[in-house]
Amino acid sequence: MYGNYRDTPAIAIYARGTPIENELFIGNIIVRSVYHGVRLWATEEGGSRIKNVTFINNVIYGAKKSGIILEGKTKSITNVLVKNCIIANNGEYGIYGKVTSIYNDVWNNGKGNYGGGAKPGVGDISVDPLFADPAHGDFHLKSEAGRWDPNQKRWVKVTSPCIDAGDPSSDFSKEPEPNGGRINMGAYGNTEEASKSLKE
């Protein structure tokens, strides 16, 4: 799945008697889901497994429950990677379950940012991502170097900590100059709509 904007329902991956493997989710914005933002669930039935599922440059914001959760027969859910994502303001946990989390902003989630064996990984931060206008669906990052606010008719005077904070090994070539030589976190990282960097 690539580049979707979802109010409800969220992304749900259910393994019921069959394997689900090698799935990739990039550039999605999941907003105000009435349940979890992303739910991975494996049943007790034979053959149920979820393996090698990757989430890159997604925004999961304001879900009623957790941002990302692993449930059911969780020992059958392996190699789940969350990278360069922003997971914020969800009602329960940001990430719940044994997930590899790297270079994410996991912030301000109701019961905690991590639970159920999840823990911060390399490059993870926990700060306000400074979205342009999340109440009205604008999840671009604020940037003094290149973020015009059409409502106030002026350039933004603050910069998101998620700019140039993604995995240093990730491609950033689609981001407009100046791009700081590093990918932004969130759904617009490595896109033409990425907020600009203060540095070259």
Side-chain angles (χ1 to χ4, degrees):
M1 182 177 272
Y2 185 86
N4 291 291
Y5 187 99
R6 301 287 298 263
D7 272 342
T8 58
I11 295 172
I13 302 171
Y14 296 122
R16 175 175 262 157
T18 59
I20 297 173
E21 297 181 352
N22 305 317
E23 297 293 334
L24 178 62
F25 297 85
I26 302 174
N28 296 284
I29 300 174
I30 300 168
V31 180
R32 292 178 288 281
S33 170
V34 296
Y35 198 53
H36 300 291
V38 174
R39 183 180 188 212
L40 289 83
W41 181 67
T43 68
E44 295 292 329
E45 296 174 44
S48 297
R49 76 174 177 271
I50 298 172
K51 181 179 177 183
N52 300 329
V53 178
T54 303
F55 298 90
I56 300 174
N57 284 98
N58 297 285
V59 170
I60 304 170
Y61 182 89
K64 185 174 183 178
K65 293 195 170 201
S66 293
I68 296 176
I69 190 166
L70 279 57
E71 292 186 304
K73 188 178 173 186
T74 57
K75 67 182 178 183
S76 295
I77 304 173
T78 59
N79 299 328
V80 177
L81 173 65
V82 179
K83 180 170 86 168
N84 298 337
C85 295
I86 300 173
I87 303 165
N89 290 333
N90 297 292
E92 293 182 357
Y93 294 95
I95 300 174
Y96 189 92
K98 293 199 177 194
V99 170
T100 300
S101 175
I102 60 172
Y103 296 98
N104 299 296
D105 185 3
V106 185
W107 178 74
N108 199 37
N109 296 286
K111 290 187 176 179
N113 291 327
Y114 303 90
K119 57 187 176 182
V122 173
D124 278 4
I125 59 176
S126 183
V127 294
D128 184 346
L130 298 176
F131 291 123
D133 189 2
H136 294 98
D138 188 349
F139 289 89
H140 289 87
L141 302 173
K142 291 182 180 178
S143 170
E144 292 177 72
R147 181 72 181 115
W148 175 257
D149 185 334
N151 296 323
Q152 297 183 18
K153 298 189 182 348
R154 64 180 173 85
W155 289 97
V156 174
K157 298 287 185 190
V158 296
T159 297
S160 168
C162 298
I163 292 175
D164 300 333
D167 185 343
S169 67
S170 294
D171 185 15
F172 60 88
S173 63
K174 293 179 184 173
E175 293 188 6
E177 295 285 340
N179 59 33
R182 188 165 166 184
I183 194 169
N184 294 348
M185 290 179 177
Y188 298 103
N190 197 34
T191 70
E192 294 174 358
E193 292 187 43
S195 297
K196 294 181 180 180
S197 304
L198 287 173
K199 57 188 174 189
E200 285 290 335

PDB file of all heavy atoms in Angstrom, residues 95-111:
ATOM      1  N   ILE A  95       3.230   2.243  19.851  1.00  0.00           N
ATOM      2  CA  ILE A  95       3.559   0.929  19.296  1.00  0.00           C
ATOM      3  C   ILE A  95       3.411  -0.091  20.415  1.00  0.00           C
ATOM      4  O   ILE A  95       3.980   0.080  21.496  1.00  0.00           O
ATOM      5  CB  ILE A  95       4.998   0.887  18.739  1.00  0.00           C
ATOM      6  CG1 ILE A  95       5.183   1.924  17.622  1.00  0.00           C
ATOM      7  CG2 ILE A  95       5.333  -0.514  18.230  1.00  0.00           C
ATOM      8  CD1 ILE A  95       6.617   2.042  17.126  1.00  0.00           C
ATOM      9  N   TYR A  96       2.662  -1.170  20.147  1.00  0.00           N
ATOM     10  CA  TYR A  96       2.438  -2.213  21.145  1.00  0.00           C
ATOM     11  C   TYR A  96       2.761  -3.568  20.532  1.00  0.00           C
ATOM     12  O   TYR A  96       2.149  -3.974  19.547  1.00  0.00           O
ATOM     13  CB  TYR A  96       0.985  -2.198  21.625  1.00  0.00           C
ATOM     14  CG  TYR A  96       0.736  -3.109  22.798  1.00  0.00           C
ATOM     15  CD1 TYR A  96       0.841  -2.629  24.097  1.00  0.00           C
ATOM     16  CD2 TYR A  96       0.415  -4.442  22.605  1.00  0.00           C
ATOM     17  CE1 TYR A  96       0.630  -3.456  25.185  1.00  0.00           C
ATOM     18  CE2 TYR A  96       0.206  -5.282  23.683  1.00  0.00           C
ATOM     19  CZ  TYR A  96       0.310  -4.788  24.973  1.00  0.00           C
ATOM     20  OH  TYR A  96       0.108  -5.617  26.050  1.00  0.00           O
ATOM     21  N   GLY A  97       3.746  -4.253  21.100  1.00  0.00           N
ATOM     22  CA  GLY A  97       4.148  -5.566  20.607  1.00  0.00           C
ATOM     23  C   GLY A  97       5.588  -5.538  20.135  1.00  0.00           C
ATOM     24  O   GLY A  97       6.210  -4.483  20.040  1.00  0.00           O
ATOM     25  N   LYS A  98       6.124  -6.708  19.848  1.00  0.00           N
ATOM     26  CA  LYS A  98       7.536  -6.816  19.467  1.00  0.00           C
ATOM     27  C   LYS A  98       7.746  -6.367  18.026  1.00  0.00           C
ATOM     28  O   LYS A  98       7.643  -7.147  17.090  1.00  0.00           O
ATOM     29  CB  LYS A  98       8.028  -8.231  19.701  1.00  0.00           C
ATOM     30  CG  LYS A  98       8.042  -8.552  21.178  1.00  0.00           C
ATOM     31  CD  LYS A  98       8.912  -9.711  21.510  1.00  0.00           C
ATOM     32  CE  LYS A  98       8.896  -9.868  23.019  1.00  0.00           C
ATOM     33  NZ  LYS A  98       9.912 -10.709  23.514  1.00  0.00           N
ATOM     34  N   VAL A  99       8.041  -5.098  17.907  1.00  0.00           N
ATOM     35  CA  VAL A  99       8.243  -4.432  16.631  1.00  0.00           C
ATOM     36  C   VAL A  99       9.638  -3.823  16.650  1.00  0.00           C
ATOM     37  O   VAL A  99      10.073  -3.298  17.667  1.00  0.00           O
ATOM     38  CB  VAL A  99       7.185  -3.313  16.445  1.00  0.00           C
ATOM     39  CG1 VAL A  99       7.497  -2.440  15.257  1.00  0.00           C
ATOM     40  CG2 VAL A  99       5.793  -3.906  16.333  1.00  0.00           C
ATOM     41  N   THR A 100      10.347  -3.879  15.539  1.00  0.00           N
ATOM     42  CA  THR A 100      11.613  -3.165  15.430  1.00  0.00           C
ATOM     43  C   THR A 100      11.288  -1.740  15.000  1.00  0.00           C
ATOM     44  O   THR A 100      10.723  -1.515  13.934  1.00  0.00           O
ATOM     45  CB  THR A 100      12.547  -3.834  14.408  1.00  0.00           C
ATOM     46  OG1 THR A 100      12.803  -5.170  14.833  1.00  0.00           O
ATOM     47  CG2 THR A 100      13.858  -3.072  14.294  1.00  0.00           C
ATOM     48  N   SER A 101      11.624  -0.798  15.847  1.00  0.00           N
ATOM     49  CA  SER A 101      11.325   0.608  15.612  1.00  0.00           C
ATOM     50  C   SER A 101      12.633   1.369  15.454  1.00  0.00           C
ATOM     51  O   SER A 101      13.455   1.381  16.368  1.00  0.00           O
ATOM     52  CB  SER A 101      10.530   1.157  16.805  1.00  0.00           C
ATOM     53  OG  SER A 101      10.302   2.531  16.676  1.00  0.00           O
ATOM     54  N   ILE A 102      12.835   2.001  14.282  1.00  0.00           N
ATOM     55  CA  ILE A 102      14.040   2.810  14.076  1.00  0.00           C
ATOM     56  C   ILE A 102      13.685   4.116  13.366  1.00  0.00           C
ATOM     57  O   ILE A 102      12.877   4.136  12.456  1.00  0.00           O
ATOM     58  CB  ILE A 102      15.143   2.052  13.298  1.00  0.00           C
ATOM     59  CG1 ILE A 102      14.675   1.607  11.921  1.00  0.00           C
ATOM     60  CG2 ILE A 102      15.648   0.854  14.097  1.00  0.00           C
ATOM     61  CD1 ILE A 102      15.785   1.032  11.048  1.00  0.00           C
ATOM     62  N   TYR A 103      14.280   5.187  13.843  1.00  0.00           N
ATOM     63  CA  TYR A 103      14.129   6.513  13.251  1.00  0.00           C
ATOM     64  C   TYR A 103      12.661   6.935  13.122  1.00  0.00           C
ATOM     65  O   TYR A 103      12.218   7.387  12.073  1.00  0.00           O
ATOM     66  CB  TYR A 103      14.863   6.597  11.902  1.00  0.00           C
ATOM     67  CG  TYR A 103      16.348   6.421  12.067  1.00  0.00           C
ATOM     68  CD1 TYR A 103      16.946   5.188  11.852  1.00  0.00           C
ATOM     69  CD2 TYR A 103      17.138   7.479  12.498  1.00  0.00           C
ATOM     70  CE1 TYR A 103      18.305   5.012  12.045  1.00  0.00           C
ATOM     71  CE2 TYR A 103      18.500   7.310  12.697  1.00  0.00           C
ATOM     72  CZ  TYR A 103      19.077   6.075  12.465  1.00  0.00           C
ATOM     73  OH  TYR A 103      20.426   5.900  12.669  1.00  0.00           O
ATOM     74  N   ASN A 104      11.925   6.789  14.214  1.00  0.00           N
ATOM     75  CA  ASN A 104      10.526   7.214  14.264  1.00  0.00           C
ATOM     76  C   ASN A 104      10.367   8.299  15.312  1.00  0.00           C
ATOM     77  O   ASN A 104      11.157   8.394  16.244  1.00  0.00           O
ATOM     78  CB  ASN A 104       9.621   6.034  14.654  1.00  0.00           C
ATOM     79  CG  ASN A 104       9.698   4.905  13.667  1.00  0.00           C
ATOM     80  OD1 ASN A 104       9.332   5.053  12.516  1.00  0.00           O
ATOM     81  ND2 ASN A 104      10.190   3.756  14.113  1.00  0.00           N
ATOM     82  N   ASP A 105       9.313   9.085  15.171  1.00  0.00           N
ATOM     83  CA  ASP A 105       8.886   9.986  16.233  1.00  0.00           C
ATOM     84  C   ASP A 105       7.622   9.370  16.823  1.00  0.00           C
ATOM     85  O   ASP A 105       6.580   9.330  16.170  1.00  0.00           O
ATOM     86  CB  ASP A 105       8.604  11.389  15.696  1.00  0.00           C
ATOM     87  CG  ASP A 105       8.266  12.389  16.806  1.00  0.00           C
ATOM     88  OD1 ASP A 105       8.307  12.015  18.002  1.00  0.00           O
ATOM     89  OD2 ASP A 105       7.962  13.547  16.470  1.00  0.00           O
ATOM     90  N   VAL A 106       7.730   8.856  18.039  1.00  0.00           N
ATOM     91  CA  VAL A 106       6.599   8.238  18.732  1.00  0.00           C
ATOM     92  C   VAL A 106       6.322   9.130  19.936  1.00  0.00           C
ATOM     93  O   VAL A 106       7.111   9.178  20.881  1.00  0.00           O
ATOM     94  CB  VAL A 106       6.925   6.785  19.149  1.00  0.00           C
ATOM     95  CG1 VAL A 106       5.707   6.114  19.755  1.00  0.00           C
ATOM     96  CG2 VAL A 106       7.426   5.981  17.946  1.00  0.00           C
ATOM     97  N   TRP A 107       5.199   9.858  19.890  1.00  0.00           N
ATOM     98  CA  TRP A 107       5.004  10.959  20.831  1.00  0.00           C
ATOM     99  C   TRP A 107       3.560  11.082  21.313  1.00  0.00           C
ATOM    100  O   TRP A 107       2.620  10.915  20.534  1.00  0.00           O
ATOM    101  CB  TRP A 107       5.420  12.262  20.144  1.00  0.00           C
ATOM    102  CG  TRP A 107       5.238  13.490  20.968  1.00  0.00           C
ATOM    103  CD1 TRP A 107       6.000  13.891  22.026  1.00  0.00           C
ATOM    104  CD2 TRP A 107       4.225  14.485  20.812  1.00  0.00           C
ATOM    105  NE1 TRP A 107       5.525  15.073  22.528  1.00  0.00           N
ATOM    106  CE2 TRP A 107       4.432  15.462  21.800  1.00  0.00           C
ATOM    107  CE3 TRP A 107       3.166  14.636  19.927  1.00  0.00           C
ATOM    108  CZ2 TRP A 107       3.619  16.577  21.933  1.00  0.00           C
ATOM    109  CZ3 TRP A 107       2.354  15.745  20.059  1.00  0.00           C
ATOM    110  CH2 TRP A 107       2.591  16.707  21.053  1.00  0.00           C
ATOM    111  N   ASN A 108       3.416  11.363  22.579  1.00  0.00           N
ATOM    112  CA  ASN A 108       2.162  11.793  23.187  1.00  0.00           C
ATOM    113  C   ASN A 108       1.013  10.797  23.002  1.00  0.00           C
ATOM    114  O   ASN A 108      -0.112  11.179  22.686  1.00  0.00           O
ATOM    115  CB  ASN A 108       1.762  13.174  22.646  1.00  0.00           C
ATOM    116  CG  ASN A 108       0.759  13.867  23.544  1.00  0.00           C
ATOM    117  OD1 ASN A 108       0.825  13.757  24.757  1.00  0.00           O
ATOM    118  ND2 ASN A 108      -0.177  14.578  22.941  1.00  0.00           N
ATOM    119  N   ASN A 109       1.296   9.526  23.207  1.00  0.00           N
ATOM    120  CA  ASN A 109       0.262   8.498  23.103  1.00  0.00           C
ATOM    121  C   ASN A 109      -0.285   8.203  24.500  1.00  0.00           C
ATOM    122  O   ASN A 109       0.467   8.154  25.469  1.00  0.00           O
ATOM    123  CB  ASN A 109       0.849   7.263  22.428  1.00  0.00           C
ATOM    124  CG  ASN A 109       1.252   7.575  21.000  1.00  0.00           C
ATOM    125  OD1 ASN A 109       0.419   7.708  20.124  1.00  0.00           O
ATOM    126  ND2 ASN A 109       2.553   7.741  20.762  1.00  0.00           N
ATOM    127  N   GLY A 110      -1.603   8.025  24.612  1.00  0.00           N
ATOM    128  CA  GLY A 110      -2.330   8.016  25.877  1.00  0.00           C
ATOM    129  C   GLY A 110      -1.796   7.132  26.988  1.00  0.00           C
ATOM    130  O   GLY A 110      -1.647   7.577  28.115  1.00  0.00           O
ATOM    131  N   LYS A 111      -1.507   5.858  26.710  1.00  0.00           N
ATOM    132  CA  LYS A 111      -1.026   4.939  27.748  1.00  0.00           C
ATOM    133  C   LYS A 111       0.489   4.803  27.742  1.00  0.00           C
ATOM    134  O   LYS A 111       1.052   4.083  28.549  1.00  0.00           O
ATOM    135  CB  LYS A 111      -1.662   3.562  27.568  1.00  0.00           C
ATOM    136  CG  LYS A 111      -3.137   3.528  27.899  1.00  0.00           C
ATOM    137  CD  LYS A 111      -3.660   2.108  27.856  1.00  0.00           C
ATOM    138  CE  LYS A 111      -5.112   2.050  28.268  1.00  0.00           C
ATOM    139  NZ  LYS A 111      -5.632   0.670  28.213  1.00  0.00           N
TER     140      LYS A 111
END
